[in-house]
PDB file of all heavy atoms in Angstrom:
ATOM      1  N   VAL A 185    -101.789 -86.281  67.935  1.00  0.00           N
ATOM      2  CA  VAL A 185    -100.977 -85.059  67.725  1.00  0.00           C
ATOM      3  C   VAL A 185    -100.134 -84.840  69.055  1.00  0.00           C
ATOM      4  O   VAL A 185     -98.929 -84.487  68.885  1.00  0.00           O
ATOM      5  CB  VAL A 185    -101.893 -83.828  67.426  1.00  0.00           C
ATOM      6  CG1 VAL A 185    -101.075 -82.536  67.433  1.00  0.00           C
ATOM      7  CG2 VAL A 185    -102.618 -83.994  66.146  1.00  0.00           C
ATOM      8  N   ARG A 186    -100.740 -85.050  70.116  1.00  0.00           N
ATOM      9  CA  ARG A 186    -100.002 -84.858  71.381  1.00  0.00           C
ATOM     10  C   ARG A 186     -98.824 -85.868  71.495  1.00  0.00           C
ATOM     11  O   ARG A 186     -97.724 -85.417  71.914  1.00  0.00           O
ATOM     12  CB  ARG A 186    -100.974 -85.081  72.602  1.00  0.00           C
ATOM     13  CG  ARG A 186    -100.301 -84.806  73.984  1.00  0.00           C
ATOM     14  CD  ARG A 186    -101.355 -84.764  75.088  1.00  0.00           C
ATOM     15  NE  ARG A 186    -102.075 -86.018  75.184  1.00  0.00           N
ATOM     16  CZ  ARG A 186    -103.336 -86.137  74.977  1.00  0.00           C
ATOM     17  NH1 ARG A 186    -104.100 -85.107  74.605  1.00  0.00           N
ATOM     18  NH2 ARG A 186    -103.920 -87.329  75.160  1.00  0.00           N
ATOM     19  N   GLY A 187     -99.046 -87.092  71.077  1.00  0.00           N
ATOM     20  CA  GLY A 187     -97.944 -88.063  71.155  1.00  0.00           C
ATOM     21  C   GLY A 187     -96.783 -87.657  70.177  1.00  0.00           C
ATOM     22  O   GLY A 187     -95.631 -87.748  70.540  1.00  0.00           O
ATOM     23  N   ARG A 188     -97.160 -87.239  68.933  1.00  0.00           N
ATOM     24  CA  ARG A 188     -96.076 -86.940  68.009  1.00  0.00           C
ATOM     25  C   ARG A 188     -95.344 -85.633  68.380  1.00  0.00           C
ATOM     26  O   ARG A 188     -94.114 -85.608  68.307  1.00  0.00           O
ATOM     27  CB  ARG A 188     -96.728 -86.696  66.645  1.00  0.00           C
ATOM     28  CG  ARG A 188     -97.345 -87.924  66.013  1.00  0.00           C
ATOM     29  CD  ARG A 188     -97.866 -87.633  64.643  1.00  0.00           C
ATOM     30  NE  ARG A 188     -96.809 -87.447  63.675  1.00  0.00           N
ATOM     31  CZ  ARG A 188     -97.015 -87.155  62.413  1.00  0.00           C
ATOM     32  NH1 ARG A 188     -98.214 -87.023  61.945  1.00  0.00           N
ATOM     33  NH2 ARG A 188     -95.940 -86.933  61.614  1.00  0.00           N
ATOM     34  N   ALA A 189     -96.083 -84.647  68.853  1.00  0.00           N
ATOM     35  CA  ALA A 189     -95.402 -83.400  69.231  1.00  0.00           C
ATOM     36  C   ALA A 189     -94.512 -83.618  70.495  1.00  0.00           C
ATOM     37  O   ALA A 189     -93.422 -83.055  70.570  1.00  0.00           O
ATOM     38  CB  ALA A 189     -96.452 -82.288  69.553  1.00  0.00           C
ATOM     39  N   SER A 190     -94.961 -84.392  71.449  1.00  0.00           N
ATOM     40  CA  SER A 190     -94.227 -84.647  72.661  1.00  0.00           C
ATOM     41  C   SER A 190     -92.976 -85.376  72.370  1.00  0.00           C
ATOM     42  O   SER A 190     -91.903 -85.124  72.937  1.00  0.00           O
ATOM     43  CB  SER A 190     -95.064 -85.388  73.673  1.00  0.00           C
ATOM     44  OG  SER A 190     -96.255 -84.626  73.998  1.00  0.00           O
ATOM     45  N   THR A 191     -93.010 -86.323  71.437  1.00  0.00           N
ATOM     46  CA  THR A 191     -91.870 -87.090  71.042  1.00  0.00           C
ATOM     47  C   THR A 191     -90.833 -86.225  70.398  1.00  0.00           C
ATOM     48  O   THR A 191     -89.598 -86.332  70.661  1.00  0.00           O
ATOM     49  CB  THR A 191     -92.247 -88.163  70.098  1.00  0.00           C
ATOM     50  OG1 THR A 191     -93.247 -89.042  70.714  1.00  0.00           O
ATOM     51  CG2 THR A 191     -91.018 -89.009  69.690  1.00  0.00           C
ATOM     52  N   GLY A 192     -91.295 -85.310  69.533  1.00  0.00           N
ATOM     53  CA  GLY A 192     -90.331 -84.367  68.943  1.00  0.00           C
ATOM     54  C   GLY A 192     -89.620 -83.457  69.904  1.00  0.00           C
ATOM     55  O   GLY A 192     -88.460 -83.208  69.834  1.00  0.00           O
ATOM     56  N   LEU A 193     -90.354 -83.031  70.933  1.00  0.00           N
ATOM     57  CA  LEU A 193     -89.731 -82.170  71.930  1.00  0.00           C
ATOM     58  C   LEU A 193     -88.772 -82.927  72.783  1.00  0.00           C
ATOM     59  O   LEU A 193     -87.888 -82.294  73.449  1.00  0.00           O
ATOM     60  CB  LEU A 193     -90.863 -81.546  72.808  1.00  0.00           C
ATOM     61  CG  LEU A 193     -91.813 -80.540  72.095  1.00  0.00           C
ATOM     62  CD1 LEU A 193     -92.970 -80.186  73.077  1.00  0.00           C
ATOM     63  CD2 LEU A 193     -91.065 -79.288  71.725  1.00  0.00           C
ATOM     64  N   ALA A 194     -88.897 -84.257  72.852  1.00  0.00           N
ATOM     65  CA  ALA A 194     -88.044 -85.043  73.740  1.00  0.00           C
ATOM     66  C   ALA A 194     -86.705 -85.383  73.027  1.00  0.00           C
ATOM     67  O   ALA A 194     -85.801 -85.916  73.689  1.00  0.00           O
ATOM     68  CB  ALA A 194     -88.724 -86.298  74.137  1.00  0.00           C
ATOM     69  N   ILE A 195     -86.545 -85.077  71.730  1.00  0.00           N
ATOM     70  CA  ILE A 195     -85.320 -85.358  71.085  1.00  0.00           C
ATOM     71  C   ILE A 195     -84.217 -84.496  71.567  1.00  0.00           C
ATOM     72  O   ILE A 195     -84.290 -83.241  71.483  1.00  0.00           O
ATOM     73  CB  ILE A 195     -85.468 -85.225  69.495  1.00  0.00           C
ATOM     74  CG1 ILE A 195     -86.481 -86.197  69.012  1.00  0.00           C
ATOM     75  CG2 ILE A 195     -84.111 -85.478  68.842  1.00  0.00           C
ATOM     76  CD1 ILE A 195     -86.772 -86.090  67.501  1.00  0.00           C
ATOM     77  N   PRO A 196     -83.067 -84.991  72.090  1.00  0.00           N
ATOM     78  CA  PRO A 196     -82.041 -84.111  72.548  1.00  0.00           C
ATOM     79  C   PRO A 196     -81.429 -83.317  71.484  1.00  0.00           C
ATOM     80  O   PRO A 196     -81.304 -83.695  70.344  1.00  0.00           O
ATOM     81  CB  PRO A 196     -81.012 -85.151  73.078  1.00  0.00           C
ATOM     82  CG  PRO A 196     -81.757 -86.468  73.352  1.00  0.00           C
ATOM     83  CD  PRO A 196     -82.827 -86.404  72.281  1.00  0.00           C
ATOM     84  N   ALA A 197     -80.935 -82.084  71.787  1.00  0.00           N
ATOM     85  CA  ALA A 197     -80.431 -81.119  70.812  1.00  0.00           C
ATOM     86  C   ALA A 197     -79.215 -81.749  70.110  1.00  0.00           C
ATOM     87  O   ALA A 197     -79.044 -81.538  68.919  1.00  0.00           O
ATOM     88  CB  ALA A 197     -80.068 -79.820  71.527  1.00  0.00           C
TER      89      ALA A 197
END
Side-chain angles (χ1 to χ4, degrees):
V185 174
R186 186 169 60 245
R188 296 183 68 182
S190 299
T191 301
L193 292 172
I195 298 176

